[in-house]
Amino acid sequence: MTDATPRTSAQWPLYEVFVRGKRGLNHVHVGSLHAADERMALTHARDLYTRRNEGVSIWVVRSDLITASTPDERDPFFAPSGDKVYRHPTFYDIPADVPHI
Amino acid sequence: MTGFETTSLEESDFELRLHEQFDDTIARDQRIEPRDWMPDGYRRTLIRQIAQHAHSEIIGMQPEGEWITRAPSLRRKAILFAKVQDEAGHGLYLYSAAETLGADRADLTQRLIDGRQKYSSIFNYPTPTFADVGVIAWLVDGAAICNQVPLCRSSFGPYARAMVRVCKEESFHQRQGYELLSTMMRGTDHQRATVQDAVDRWWWPSLMMFGPPDGDSPNSEQSMAWRIKRHTNDELRQRFVDMTVPQAAALGVTLPDPELRWNEERGRHDFGTPDWSELHRVITGDGPCNTERVARRRAAHEDGAWVREAASAHAATQAARAREGAAA
């Protein structure tokens, strides 16, 4: 009813943006944006997320292409690593006078 | 029938447990993330607050943006351009955060230009002189920083992370404004008078940016319990006054409040009461520039329609060519 103006464009898809801050670091998720295609997503990501040299490399990926685990921290999905304390170095007793270990 | 009853009972049990988990996460001062279960009220409150915040950044481009073409030097023009572009960026970080809660970007824009969602009333005041550009950056962005720094610890992860980015950039905004004003204060008598006039006009609206007094702010308590909000309106307002008084003294301007004085006992400043009826008038649409601001935003959106259509058409053509190329 309030939409008196003609619908001007179909909603552009949402892209998630990942930025590598500098050489030697991983790409880190910084946010999202809408764009008509991948190329536009990249240039928009540059303008939006790296206005002050925050990045040397950008990845964009359509949000609907991401597969994610459930948000629940207590999800049994993560159970396999829960009871394997022997995977941590602190599990092992080493005499205090043994150096460099 | 029995089957249905059992199911709904189990579901409400399940919901109760999710609610407990949510409360527990808040109590441990951890962040809620988009795909976590959250009460409807929490989601609604956040969408409303983040959308209003985003709209404020976008509308906030206008009062200062009007001076880009009239900036007195190339240096000031480049700075102002960068600042206004940052405001657009802040709006986009915030729209992006609102979308993680299920809000729709196109719908949010439509709500703004239909006048169904609000933005900060401060942007409904005019900017008749270049000193206004400096005073907005000093006082309005200063007040925004007071509001936004605690929001970096807001309980909703994407909102808090957006605020971290915004706060880093706001510091440049405030400092360039203060420097602009310092330069004018070292100029002619006329320039000094222009700065003082702008301070006189912006001081009270800046204090109103923190919202109504605590006794008159019905949503505050719940927002504080959810840790969306960390301090009350009056607390933040006091903090802003205490921060600003020495800055005004260093600049050599007078803050237009005869009741403003240091209170030795409290270790803070006493100050007068803003005209709350004015805030109410401006919020409900009767400020000096309400109509103009929304009309301008609507025109920008509608005039840009052909660009969005062209980009969509181009994307479709490129995709079709890529498919043909792959098939050949």
Side-chain angles (χ1 to χ4, degrees):
Chain A
M1 185 197 84
T2 42
D3 201 9
T5 51
R7 194 182 166 89
T8 47
S9 72
Q11 175 98 288
W12 289 342
L14 192 66
Y15 289 83
E16 301 298 326
V17 181
F18 301 79
V19 171
R20 184 198 294 286
K22 57 181 183 186
R23 287 182 175 277
L25 298 181
N26 288 317
H27 285 77
V28 174
H29 181 245
V30 292
S32 66
L33 49 78
H34 287 279
D37 60 16
E38 280 74 11
R39 217 177 98 201
M40 184 193 263
L42 270 182
T43 51
H44 279 183
R46 177 200 61 196
D47 295 344
L48 186 55
Y49 291 106
T50 63
R51 286 197 301 284
R52 289 178 176 78
N53 306 316
E54 292 96 333
V56 294
S57 165
I58 301 175
W59 290 346
V60 292
V61 60
R62 272 183 66 148
S63 309
D64 56 10
L65 294 179
I66 290 179
T67 308
S69 64
T70 66
D72 189 351
E73 295 158 30
R74 277 156 280 198
D75 192 321
F77 180 75
F78 293 106
S81 80
D83 59 352
K84 295 179 180 59
V85 282
Y86 48 86
R87 287 182 173 176
H88 297 275
T90 48
F91 180 72
Y92 302 94
D93 284 329
I94 305 287
D97 53 356
V98 178
H100 304 306
I101 183 163
Chain B
M1 282 310 279
T2 330
F4 277 107
E5 278 157 28
T6 315
T7 307
S8 73
L9 194 68
E10 275 171 3
E11 266 174 12
S12 76
D13 248 20
F14 183 60
E15 190 108 320
L16 212 64
R17 231 182 45 234
L18 289 170
H19 207 140
E20 274 168 14
Q21 273 182 30
F22 171 86
D23 289 342
D24 187 46
T25 306
I26 300 274
R28 281 181 294 136
D29 210 10
Q30 295 203 325
R31 300 291 172 263
I32 303 296
E33 294 296 341
R35 295 168 69 234
D36 290 339
W37 183 91
M38 60 188 86
D40 286 343
Y42 180 82
R43 185 184 300 274
R44 263 200 317 275
T45 301
L46 270 170
I47 290 179
R48 196 191 59 228
Q49 181 172 335
I50 299 174
Q52 280 187 16
H53 199 157
H55 296 331
S56 302
E57 300 283 358
I58 297 298
I59 296 289
M61 296 166 75
Q62 291 184 36
E64 292 171 280
E66 286 174 9
W67 281 95
I68 290 175
T69 55
R70 295 178 286 164
S73 68
L74 186 56
R75 178 174 183 271
R76 292 289 169 202
K77 182 183 275 205
I79 292 169
L80 188 53
F81 225 143
K83 181 185 189 278
V84 172
Q85 193 188 6
D86 274 353
E87 307 297 358
H90 297 176
L92 294 177
Y93 303 153
L94 285 157
Y95 283 130
S96 162
E99 280 185 293
T100 67
L101 290 159
D104 175 83
R105 177 80 57 98
D107 178 56
L108 293 177
T109 302
Q110 199 61 47
R111 280 169 188 268
L112 171 63
I113 63 183
D114 287 344
R116 285 180 291 147
Q117 261 176 352
K118 294 191 193 319
Y119 53 88
S120 176
S121 59
I122 193 80
F123 300 114
N124 289 318
Y125 291 88
T127 45
T129 73
F130 192 67
D132 291 273
V133 170
V135 171
I136 286 180
W138 172 40
L139 294 181
V140 175
D141 289 339
I145 290 172
C146 272
N147 257 327
Q148 289 169 344
V149 167
L151 290 175
C152 295
R153 294 184 298 122
S154 174
S155 62
F156 186 58
Y159 191 30
R161 293 192 286 273
M163 282 301 107
V164 171
R165 300 187 76 86
V166 167
C167 285
K168 275 188 198 160
E169 299 180 354
E170 289 287 358
S171 171
F172 142 64
H173 296 181
Q174 201 190 15
R175 289 173 66 107
Q176 66 82 27
Y178 196 82
E179 187 221 52
L180 186 165
L181 296 174
S182 304
T183 308
M184 287 186 80
M185 291 302 286
R186 288 195 302 270
T188 63
D189 283 346
H190 176 72
Q191 284 177 307
R192 273 186 288 278
T194 310
V195 172
Q196 183 60 57
D197 171 65
V199 171
D200 291 346
R201 283 181 289 107
W202 288 96
W203 174 248
W204 291 108
S206 298
L207 291 189
M208 294 176 200
M209 282 176 70
F210 297 94
D214 292 348
D216 198 19
S217 179
N219 301 323
S220 278
E221 202 181 327
Q222 178 62 76
S223 285
M224 303 256 300
W226 276 330
R227 300 200 185 170
I228 293 174
K229 206 174 155 163
R230 292 281 181 164
H231 306 281
T232 70
N233 297 350
D234 287 335
E235 248 174 271
L236 292 168
R237 193 164 11 245
Q238 175 76 58
R239 201 178 282 190
F240 173 69
V241 171
D242 291 337
M243 267 174 42
T244 308
V245 168
Q247 295 170 356
L251 199 56
V253 295
T254 312
L255 299 173
D257 178 359
E259 292 175 52
L260 181 65
R261 65 178 59 85
W262 177 250
N263 183 324
E264 194 64 55
E265 213 170 290
R266 289 201 305 133
R268 316 200 78 169
H269 292 86
D270 290 337
F271 57 98
T273 309
D275 178 0
W276 297 121
S277 65
E278 177 181 324
L279 177 65
H280 183 75
R281 271 200 314 279
V282 180
I283 285 183
T284 50
D286 195 19
C289 304
N290 296 50
T291 314
E292 180 188 330
R293 299 287 186 242
V294 175
R296 176 86 185 274
R297 179 68 192 95
R298 174 183 284 278
H301 183 67
E302 290 173 359
D303 294 349
W306 70 270
V307 180
R308 295 191 292 278
E309 279 162 21
S312 295
H314 179 71
T317 314
Q318 292 295 320
R321 278 197 196 139
R323 275 196 304 276
E324 281 162 25

